[in-house]
Amino acid sequence: MPKIVVKNPASLEVIETFPVPEISEIDLMINNSKKAFIKWKAFSLSQRQEILSKAADAIEARKDELAKLLTSEQGKPFHESNREIGAITSVFRLYAGMPIKPEIIQDNETTQIIVDQEPYGVCALILPWNYPVGLLGWKLAPCLLAGNTAIVKPSQFAPLAVIKCIEIISDFLPDNVVQPLPGGDQEGVYLTRHPGIARISFTGSQNTGKNILKSASENLPKITLEMSGNDAAIILPDCDLDKRFESIFWGCFFNIGQICVAIKRIYVHESIAPELIRRFKEKTEAMKIGNGLEPGVQMGPINNEKQLLKVYELVEDARNLGATIVAGGNKILGNGYFFQPTVLTDLDDSFRIVREEQFGPAIPILTYSDIDDAITRANNTVYGLGGSIWTEDIEIGKKLAKKLECGTVWVNAHMLVEHRAPFGGWKQSGMGRELGEAGLKEFLQTRTLYMVKS
Ligand code: NAD
């Protein structure tokens, strides 16, 4: 029987194995979810809000245990895991306070027109491995508030903390309102082709997003896709590096770059490029890398072997084409999927590491002399998730920010996510939105009621 084997990426030690569910078990889960939907949708909005709030408290009460589990399967340092558990509780609390109200378009003597919102039914929530618990919150909280039920397919590379959170949340819910499906890619395919699934909310790679669109074409469930990014940061000559460098650095290397909205390419004005590169070299070489549960560790391993090989391949490709490896550039030998934080220069936009999403600890730094040219180069991609402008002149920053073709743009920040604001990608980085009211609307379908009185 095929098994999911979950390893600690810092030691390669197996921490859990479980059998991949049979097709008949997935069918049963979906059937049970349909039955649970009838019960759950009958709960009042305030009952659902109260349950979300209690679930947030219960997760918070077990924050350290959950963060430890997350670090052991995902690799990120314990303080980053702690922050991620904080994100799920904060999103649950946000939606616990969000209203769902019908809109009265017209109400006169002859006619009343009301637009109201209904849940879809059984939703498939499909998660990646890089930020699994946080993204569970982004999807599950609005899904439940809207009155839907959920089958959650965590990544086979980091399913444990997600399953544990679902166990905790389920204590407050009727049976089968949320069920984890701890399978691999094929179970994801089966789920997205299934006629019992009314909505899919997916976060992961662009390639998988495209495959999901194909799988779903038969039954046409509604679909939200949050996919890969290749965010550019444009650093203007007046950028005060004393003030901004830490944010630029962690914009690239938080979760060792395994974040959809990490900075994945830097365009720096040629006048300050030498100073920026010097700072990157100094800081990457001073990083404490290791098992995220050890005190003081600032960077953990890459999550899995496939991803390690991808980062390695892109760095090698750049090296072979003549890029300068200013810092890092190699795997760290021993147990664990460790890779040195890497800084590359002397490359151009045709290099694969600039065009493709590396999703790991390797940052290409490119220079520009003309800002319009930098904006054109930043936009010259099929991706459109995020981007940033770094300048001490906020008005110029704002003007340039509006020229970037992506779903989120920051001035003097990157990766900052406010849960009340919508999040999602332009171009091939996304379809639909998560977070904020927009994220709730994704889980509600609109019905327009016309009532003719006379
Ligand atoms: P992935 O696409 O390989 O897998 C994501 C999930 O989809 C997993 O649960 C996987 O089992 C499942 N899956 C794989 N093939 C499937 C198929 N054909 N049908 C249905 N499900 C399938 O992505 P990953 O490697 O886990 O995550 C990394 C990627 O996620 C990066 O590209 C990153 O940019 C992206 N990401 C995007 C966002 C965002 O909000 N835009 C956030 C985090 C990560």
Side-chain angles (χ1 to χ4, degrees):
M1 182 183 272
K3 285 203 158 74
I4 301 286
V5 178
V6 187
K7 286 185 194 167
N8 182 332
S11 62
L12 305 192
E13 183 195 338
V14 173
I15 42 180
E16 183 93 49
T17 53
F18 33 81
V20 171
E22 307 262 352
I23 295 298
S24 58
E25 290 174 67
I26 305 177
D27 288 339
L28 183 64
M29 284 172 78
I30 295 173
N31 260 330
N32 287 339
S33 193
K34 277 188 195 164
K35 289 182 196 151
F37 174 60
I38 296 165
K39 276 196 199 156
W40 180 235
K41 144 184 188 189
F43 276 55
S44 69
L45 179 68
S46 61
Q47 284 174 316
R48 293 203 293 263
Q49 287 172 322
E50 198 184 325
I51 286 175
L52 291 192
S53 178
K54 283 185 182 158
D57 293 347
I59 289 175
E60 190 165 63
R62 293 175 65 178
K63 197 170 185 185
D64 278 6
E65 172 202 344
L66 287 165
K68 203 170 156 199
L69 183 61
L70 181 58
T71 290
S72 67
E73 63 175 337
Q74 203 284 337
K76 62 185 66 177
F78 181 73
H79 64 271
E80 289 188 19
S81 291
N82 233 299
R83 215 166 122 178
E84 188 170 334
I85 308 300
I88 186 174
T89 57
S90 132
V91 176
F92 264 69
R93 285 186 182 129
L94 169 76
Y95 284 106
M98 204 172 274
I100 302 176
K101 286 193 207 132
E103 189 188 352
I104 298 174
I105 304 284
Q106 183 182 311
D107 192 9
N108 59 23
E109 280 165 23
T110 61
T111 317
Q112 189 184 43
I113 306 172
I114 303 175
V115 177
D116 69 7
Q117 314 282 335
E118 286 285 321
Y120 282 94
V122 182
C123 300
L125 311 183
I126 303 178
L127 303 172
W129 47 260
N130 69 315
Y131 192 65
V133 173
L135 294 174
L136 173 70
W138 291 27
K139 295 181 190 305
L140 187 58
C143 171
L144 292 178
L145 182 72
N148 300 284
T149 55
I151 312 257
V152 179
K153 219 296 280 153
S155 165
Q156 55 275 40
F157 297 112
L160 302 178
V162 166
I163 294 172
K164 184 58 79 186
C165 284
I166 292 174
E167 263 173 48
I168 297 171
I169 296 163
S170 292
D171 278 346
F172 303 96
L173 293 166
D175 285 350
N176 300 319
V177 169
V178 186
Q179 299 171 81
L181 167 56
D185 295 353
Q186 284 319 306
E187 286 63 46
V189 175
Y190 187 73
L191 201 56
T192 51
R193 280 208 180 123
H194 203 288
I197 297 296
R199 175 168 253 300
I200 296 170
S201 178
F202 163 80
T203 299
S205 64
Q206 188 193 76
N207 203 27
T208 304
K210 289 181 180 177
N211 287 332
I212 287 178
L213 281 183
K214 287 182 208 149
S215 304
S217 65
E218 202 161 316
N219 298 303
L220 294 179
K222 300 295 173 282
I223 301 180
T224 306
L225 301 175
E226 293 286 3
M227 297 173 285
S228 319
N230 192 10
D231 291 16
I234 300 180
I235 304 178
L236 271 61
D238 70 340
C239 173
D240 180 347
L241 290 179
D242 285 341
K243 212 151 107 187
R244 313 283 179 205
F245 178 70
E246 280 291 307
S247 305
I248 297 172
F249 179 85
W250 287 111
C252 305
F253 286 114
F254 187 76
N255 195 9
I256 53 165
Q258 301 170 130
I259 293 279
C260 53
V261 277
I263 299 173
K264 298 192 177 125
R265 313 171 269 159
I266 291 179
Y267 294 96
V268 56
H269 190 268
E270 57 193 7
S271 62
I272 60 165
E275 178 56 16
L276 182 79
I277 293 164
R278 186 192 68 73
R279 288 181 191 234
F280 260 102
K281 178 175 168 60
E282 191 179 280
K283 188 149 178 101
T284 48
E285 289 179 347
M287 279 295 112
K288 181 166 179 193
I289 300 161
N291 184 325
L293 290 179
E294 283 167 20
V297 163
Q298 293 162 293
M299 290 186 181
I302 289 178
N303 172 261
N304 58 72
E305 188 175 19
K306 186 173 155 213
Q307 195 56 35
L308 174 74
L309 294 178
K310 167 132 201 232
V311 176
Y312 181 68
E313 183 185 314
L314 293 181
V315 169
E316 280 305 287
D317 178 71
R319 195 195 313 260
N320 292 337
L321 289 171
T324 302
I325 312 289
V326 174
N330 289 304
K331 295 180 206 161
I332 301 174
L333 297 179
N335 289 337
Y337 302 131
F338 289 100
F339 196 89
Q340 296 172 324
T342 298
V343 181
L344 302 104
T345 59
D346 298 318
L347 20 64
D348 63 44
D349 295 328
S350 69
F351 281 57
R352 283 184 62 201
I353 198 159
V354 181
R355 282 187 290 118
E356 297 178 24
E357 186 194 46
Q358 68 276 48
F359 212 62
I363 185 72
I365 303 183
L366 302 101
T367 58
Y368 73 89
S369 54
D370 172 58
I371 186 64
D372 292 333
D373 177 51
I375 298 275
T376 304
R377 289 161 71 192
N379 286 336
N380 186 19
T381 169
V382 295
Y383 299 102
L385 199 55
S388 57
I389 306 286
W390 299 78
T391 174
E392 302 315 312
D393 186 331
I394 294 298
E395 282 314 307
I396 289 199
K398 204 172 182 182
K399 212 165 110 194
L400 294 173
K402 290 188 176 186
K403 295 187 178 185
L404 286 180
E405 297 165 359
C406 39
T408 304
V409 187
W410 297 269
V411 176
N412 296 328
H414 208 110
M415 225 193 268
L416 196 65
V417 174
E418 161 57 57
H419 294 150
R420 286 170 301 173
F423 179 92
W426 287 17
K427 303 195 230 177
Q428 293 185 26
S429 284
M431 274 172 53
R433 286 291 176 273
E434 295 200 285
L435 297 178
E437 267 183 61
L440 175 60
K441 282 193 178 142
E442 299 279 310
F443 287 100
L444 288 163
Q445 49 191 340
T446 298
R447 178 174 44 219
T448 309
L449 278 168
Y450 288 82
M451 279 162 299
V452 178
K453 302 178 189 171
S454 58

